[in-house]
Amino acid sequence: MSRQVLTPDVCVIGAGAGGLSVASGAAQLGLSVVLYEAGEMGGDCLNTGCVPSKALIAAARTAVTLRTADRFGIAAVAPQVNWDAVRTHIQGVIDTIAPIDSQERFEGLGCTVLREMARFTAPDTVESDSAIVRAKRFVIATGASAAIPPIPGLSDVPYLTNETVFAQPTLPGSLIVLGGGVIGVELGQAFARLGTQVTILEAATLMGPQEPEAVELVRAALANDGVDVREGARAVAVRAAADGSVVVELESGASVTAQRLLVAVGRAVRVAGLGLEAAGIAFNKRGIETRDDLRSTTNRRVWAVGDVAGREQLTHAAGFHAGIFVRGALFRAPASAAVAHMPAVAYCHPEVARIGLTEAEARTRHGDAVTTTHWSMAENDRAQTERDTSGFCKLVLGRGGRILGATVVGEAAGEAIQIVGLAMASRLKVGALTGLISPYPTRSEVVKRAASAYYTPKLFSGRTRQLVALLNRLPV
Ligand code: NAD
């Protein structure tokens, strides 16, 4: 069969969050677009990542609400978890969102959608079963998948990843989560809340580079949910037990046994089989080597967006990258993906939202110029009314009140952090946050309160009091 030869303005490889945003942007600007996707439209976020995990977390949270209803004078009940129904709920959410990412929608926008594997055969050519594509520009948006560590025995046992964990036929009675990063903590807590006995094995410390006081609150919450968290626990071997359960052996000599094993030790970028060498596209284990405008350092026709671009591996980063491509490559305007205000949220309970630098990172870069200011959820009236006061807002500030970073912990922290995001994106200083009038009672008020706390020592200092005393002597 002879293959069609296509010469679009833009060829996008990968129909996940990044690739779809590039394709829709380019198509709506009137450019011709070929969009490749060999798997499910929508990529990881929709099918095996953010959407199913947040749907699972919502179900798990409901179980906790039932279990702890007596806080509010309502009889607490032991929730009856019907895993089949939980799976139906998760799939229902995916199905509701899916049309936005569907082949039909993108064809409707004018894209040529090819559901096959694409690979570069030359610097300006991509080929697949049915087509040869010579595009003016190529955008690699192939994402990442669960990294599988070379632990002896792991490949001989059935293990779960984010791709299979939501579709398990039964709710596991016990589960080992290998890796205590964001994925391990979010899913480990959710399964524990649904009734699974969960052990999280983390080689280093839980949740990686976060404010330690945020991690402390998550540790306490996990303990409260009955999760057995082992930090400094490096898995060195895995084997199957006679009854079909999985045994993980640790460096310390201890071992842990559970019915199922979930591997969540990081993400490996998808570059295999893409023919990058044939196109002279430099890459390393973090992804395609790109300049700050996301253009390949070695092939001028090629850009990379999303997880494979070797930067933040977040859905909203992928969407942001698509905007950088449109601005830089299509409008030929200055564009940079190297920004200080990229937020990241761990949707565990309490939710941990972070933007910019942690205090430790800021001190490494800016030394003694760094100050922090803090406000506790215990001093937030909305948190009190909801009987959930675990959390805080911490602002990390540089010279003159420049905002270097922030962490908000607590219910809806991901909403509150956006105020700091706007301030950072607009290069506002901490003073701007004090000008905000937060509706009472909202949790986001912690951001304004933390900012105001920065000025409290100055506001109520001896000098200010003297000034007010002086002004007070003037006639009214
Ligand atoms: P991660 O890199 O965040 O954490 C993996 C953890 O596994 C690390 O803490 C590491 O020390 C540990 N580890 C590695 N080898 C180990 C071993 N042999 N034994 C025990 N522990 C071991 O990876 P992740 O949690 O898989 O997340 C991957 C990416 O996905 C991150 O970049 C994250 O930003 C993104 N993500 C984000 C969200 C979110 O923002 N809500 C949700 C899911 C994923």
Side-chain angles (χ1 to χ4, degrees), residues 43-55 162 166 186-187:
D44 275 23
C45 177
L46 174 64
N47 298 293
T48 57
C50 326
V51 172
S53 65
K54 269 75 251 179
N162 68 299
F166 304 106
E186 285 185 358
L187 295 183

Side-chain angles (χ1 to χ4, degrees), residues 105-455:
R105 171 159 177 262
F106 279 80
E107 286 173 345
L109 288 171
C111 300
T112 301
V113 181
L114 300 176
R115 303 297 296 273
E116 36 194 58
M117 286 292 289
R119 70 172 194 290
F120 284 93
T121 52
D124 63 350
T125 310
V126 152
E127 296 189 27
S128 62
D129 287 349
S130 74
I132 297 171
V133 182
R134 295 203 179 89
K136 189 161 184 184
R137 304 168 191 84
F138 293 91
V139 180
I140 303 173
T142 48
S145 50
I148 305 304
I151 299 175
L154 181 58
S155 55
D156 302 328
V157 301
Y159 58 81
L160 301 160
T161 66
N162 68 299
E163 279 174 36
T164 47
V165 71
F166 304 106
Q168 295 176 79
T170 53
L171 184 68
S174 56
L175 175 71
I176 296 170
V177 180
L178 195 60
V182 185
I183 296 181
V185 168
E186 285 185 358
L187 295 183
Q189 184 179 48
F191 277 103
R193 290 176 155 203
L194 291 173
T196 300
Q197 181 57 53
V198 175
T199 305
I200 296 179
L201 300 177
E202 166 53 54
T205 53
L206 213 57
M207 296 182 81
Q210 295 278 1
E211 295 289 2
E213 55 269 49
V215 180
E216 202 44 60
L217 293 178
V218 173
R219 261 187 211 112
L222 289 170
N224 194 41
D225 284 316
V227 180
D228 180 2
V229 177
R230 315 249 186 119
E231 296 180 71
R234 179 171 295 279
V236 292
V238 177
R239 62 186 161 81
D243 64 354
S245 53
V246 181
V247 183
V248 177
E249 290 173 4
L250 304 176
E251 207 170 32
S252 64
S255 66
V256 183
T257 304
Q259 279 175 9
R260 299 268 181 277
L261 171 66
L262 169 66
V263 178
V265 297
R267 313 278 300 162
V269 290
R270 291 194 193 99
V271 289
L274 266 177
L276 298 180
E277 295 85 354
I281 301 167
F283 65 100
N284 56 42
K285 71 176 190 341
R286 291 199 63 211
I288 310 289
E289 292 179 9
T290 53
R291 310 184 320 188
D292 282 347
D293 62 357
L294 301 175
R295 199 168 194 168
S296 155
T297 54
T298 53
N299 183 331
R300 289 184 53 75
R301 286 175 185 272
V302 173
W303 283 256
V305 301
D307 288 3
V308 78
R311 295 158 192 263
E312 301 92 344
Q313 296 189 324
L314 301 159
T315 289
H316 51 275
F320 172 68
H321 289 175
I324 297 295
F325 169 77
V326 169
R327 189 182 159 88
L330 305 187
F331 285 97
R332 299 179 189 244
S336 172
V339 292
H341 59 276
M342 180 67 68
V345 181
Y347 297 93
C348 47
H349 183 97
E351 198 163 293
V352 178
R354 179 196 157 172
I355 190 165
L357 305 178
T358 61
E359 180 180 354
E361 289 165 346
R363 289 201 186 285
T364 304
R365 287 199 210 174
H366 302 279
D368 291 342
V370 174
T371 55
T372 65
T373 173
H374 186 277
W375 196 263
S376 167
M377 280 290 178
E379 294 184 81
N380 178 280
D381 291 358
R382 181 64 176 274
Q384 288 290 353
T385 62
E386 292 170 349
R387 296 196 169 275
D388 182 3
T389 55
S390 171
F392 60 85
C393 171
K394 176 176 179 176
L395 300 176
V396 180
L397 306 172
R399 217 174 289 284
R402 188 174 147 218
I403 306 169
L404 301 174
T407 292
V408 180
V409 182
E411 181 73 31
E415 313 294 333
I417 202 78
Q418 303 194 40
I419 300 166
V420 187
L422 177 63
M424 288 179 77
S426 310
R427 300 185 188 283
L428 301 175
K429 294 190 171 179
V430 65
L433 296 174
T434 65
L436 183 75
I437 303 174
S438 284
Y440 174 88
T442 52
R443 285 177 174 265
S444 298
E445 201 186 349
V446 289
V447 174
K448 181 203 165 103
R449 290 301 196 108
S452 301
Y454 175 71
Y455 293 101

